[in-house]
Amino acid sequence: MVYSQDFEAKAISKKYKYKRFILRFFVKTKYQKYEIKTVNRKDIRNAPYNPRTINQSAKNKLKKNIKQIGLLIPLVVNKNTMNLVSGHQRLSCLDILEGNSNYEIEVSLCDLTEKQEKAQNIFFNNSKAQGNFELSQLDVILKEIDY
């Protein structure tokens, strides 16, 4: 769980008057094994082994959602290989929306061996590890959002 602690501090302005401001220190859980870093898109490699595919209809929906709402979850990149671990389809849509593959993007940069990288690539897309929908509850929500 990520949380912050606020500390009040005083700073001296140019006129030697004190100004109060809040410093925020974020504390990571011991299980958070990544850093958010800004990288150039050109430095990110699509994992050559990625088994995930997407049809054009689904890609259009994904692209439309990113265009309307934005990218809400960072892409996951292994800092040792610069291979994309998770987010191949989102990155492909971003390239189309940006009109090129030369832009800065914040990513979740992690430190994985090649074996761990491949395992996590599969895990992130494993529907058996993501749980199931409660169909009656899903039906109510879908009606609420005109899906």
Side-chain angles (χ1 to χ4, degrees), residues 44-102:
I44 301 170
R45 298 175 32 189
N46 284 324
Y49 55 80
N50 183 40
R52 190 76 182 238
T53 61
I54 189 169
N55 65 40
Q56 194 58 49
S57 175
K59 188 171 189 171
N60 288 341
K61 288 178 185 176
L62 179 59
K63 184 172 61 172
K64 180 180 177 186
N65 190 72
I66 292 171
K67 187 174 183 178
Q68 289 178 340
I69 305 298
L71 188 65
L72 301 179
I73 300 171
L75 307 173
V76 179
V77 176
N78 184 359
K79 72 178 184 178
N80 298 311
T81 62
M82 290 307 289
N83 281 342
L84 195 55
V85 179
S86 176
H88 291 79
Q89 312 311 333
R90 288 177 286 148
L91 186 59
S92 175
C93 290
L94 283 171
D95 288 349
I96 293 167
L97 292 168
E98 290 288 340
N100 64 70
S101 60
N102 185 20

Side-chain angles (χ1 to χ4, degrees), residues 7-33:
F7 295 92
E8 188 173 308
K10 293 180 181 177
I12 300 175
S13 71
K14 289 183 181 179
K15 297 181 181 180
Y16 301 103
K17 291 184 180 179
Y18 286 102
K19 290 186 176 182
R20 292 178 185 226
F21 62 94
I22 301 293
L23 293 176
R24 212 159 262 212
F25 296 92
F26 291 95
V27 181
K28 299 190 309 186
T29 171
K30 65 183 178 181
Y31 298 103
Q32 186 175 326
K33 304 294 183 183

